């Protein structure tokens, strides 16, 4: 008989019953088991320096999908989003996750400005990620975090004025939903 996967409550119950030595053994085995587990633990204990290094590595993966070192971009948005997803799983700091998500949009804008209009699905993906950044900023309700990203959010809008498929308008709409944006802001529609 195959046992079903433990629920989170069952896992927590088992962990509470473990001795410190057993817990150390489990965590060290987990650390060795996968790169993701290793990154998660290093991110937790090594701090911002490690997270910043992981962020730069993830940015390089995203950029490679748009602008590889050789040839034209493959434009595998799913691979770029996969790099973001993997980073998000191991990074506990929303500032770094937002940075990477916004970087994805910036690469997309640079790509379309370099190669011309792309497809509606491409712009939908960029708009969706930009909206995710905006929603997260609103949810976190941290004015300092907003101020950290404000110029980059606006720069994306500025650089998409000539793009098709209503891309610029969608970005303006998302930007306008930020709780710190004033009604007379020039980037509101």
């Amino acid at each position: 008989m195959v046992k079903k996967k433990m629920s989170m409550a069952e896992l927590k119950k088992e962990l509470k019953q473990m001795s410190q030595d057993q817990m150390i053994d489990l965590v060290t085995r987990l650390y060795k088991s996968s790169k993701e587990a290793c990154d998660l633990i290093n991110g937790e204990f090594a701090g911002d320096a490690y997270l910043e290094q992981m962020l730069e590595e993830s940015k390089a993966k995203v950029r490679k999908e748009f602008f590889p070192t050789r040839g034209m971009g493959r434009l595998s948005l799913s691979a770029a989003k996969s790099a973001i997803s993997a980073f998000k799983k191991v990074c506990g700091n929303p500032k770094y996750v937002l940075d990477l998500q916004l970087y994805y949009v910036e690469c997309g804008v640079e790509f379309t400005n370099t190669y011309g209009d792309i497809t509606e699905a491409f712009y939908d993906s960029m708009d969706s990620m930009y909206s995710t950044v905006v929603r997260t900023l609103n949810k976190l309700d941290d004015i300092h975090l907003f101020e950290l990203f404000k110029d980059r959010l606006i720069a994306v809008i500025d650089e998409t004025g000539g793009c098709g498929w209503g891309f610029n308008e969608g970005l303006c709409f998302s930007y306008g939903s930020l709780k710190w944006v004033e009604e007379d802001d020039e980037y509101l529609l």
Side-chain angles (χ1 to χ4, degrees):
M1 181 171 153
V2 177
K3 185 174 190 269
K4 69 176 178 95
K5 188 168 96 172
M6 262 195 278
S7 69
M8 198 55 77
E10 291 169 328
L11 174 62
K12 287 179 182 181
K13 181 181 175 188
E14 291 291 328
L15 291 172
K16 286 178 183 179
Q17 294 175 4
M18 295 177 85
S19 70
Q20 184 174 5
D21 287 341
Q22 290 171 318
M23 187 69 77
I24 289 171
D25 180 59
L26 176 64
V27 171
T28 54
R29 284 188 292 133
L30 192 65
Y31 185 85
K32 295 176 191 177
S33 71
S34 73
K35 181 178 178 349
E36 188 175 274
C38 179
D39 285 341
L40 176 67
I41 292 168
N42 276 305
E44 187 68 29
F45 294 112
D48 283 350
Y50 189 81
L51 291 174
E52 288 171 7
Q53 177 186 337
M54 282 179 27
L55 174 63
E56 291 310 311
E57 290 169 6
S58 297
K59 281 183 173 182
K61 290 176 186 175
V62 168
R63 181 143 188 96
K64 179 180 161 193
E65 296 307 321
F66 292 93
F67 300 99
T69 53
R70 294 185 191 183
M72 284 190 55
R74 296 185 302 225
L75 200 60
S76 175
L77 298 181
S78 62
K81 286 195 263 186
S82 178
I84 295 169
S85 179
F87 179 75
K88 188 176 180 180
K89 286 179 185 175
V90 298
C91 180
N93 188 327
K95 175 178 83 170
Y96 298 124
V97 175
L98 289 166
D99 188 338
L100 184 59
Q101 290 170 327
L102 188 53
Y103 183 73
Y104 169 84
V105 177
E106 291 166 334
C107 285
V109 169
E110 183 181 350
F111 188 88
T112 195
N113 286 337
T114 300
Y115 298 110
D117 268 343
I118 315 298
T119 65
E120 183 177 11
F122 171 86
Y123 293 119
D124 287 348
S125 181
M126 296 303 122
D127 187 45
S128 175
M129 189 66 73
Y130 188 92
S131 295
T132 297
V133 170
V134 166
R135 281 192 311 275
T136 303
L137 285 169
N138 278 333
K139 181 179 176 187
L140 294 172
D141 197 18
D142 182 340
I143 183 75
H144 302 295
L145 206 51
F146 165 69
E147 289 172 352
L148 181 66
F149 292 106
K150 180 182 179 182
D151 290 343
R152 288 173 62 192
L153 290 164
I154 290 171
V156 166
I157 293 171
D158 285 342
E159 294 173 20
T160 59
C163 293
W165 302 100
F167 183 39
N168 182 264
E169 292 82 1
L171 296 175
C172 288
F173 181 78
S174 290
Y175 181 79
S177 71
L178 282 160
K179 54 179 74 177
W180 303 279
V181 174
E182 302 291 329
E183 286 183 24
D184 61 345
D185 192 294
E186 67 181 288
Y187 293 98
L188 296 178
L189 293 178

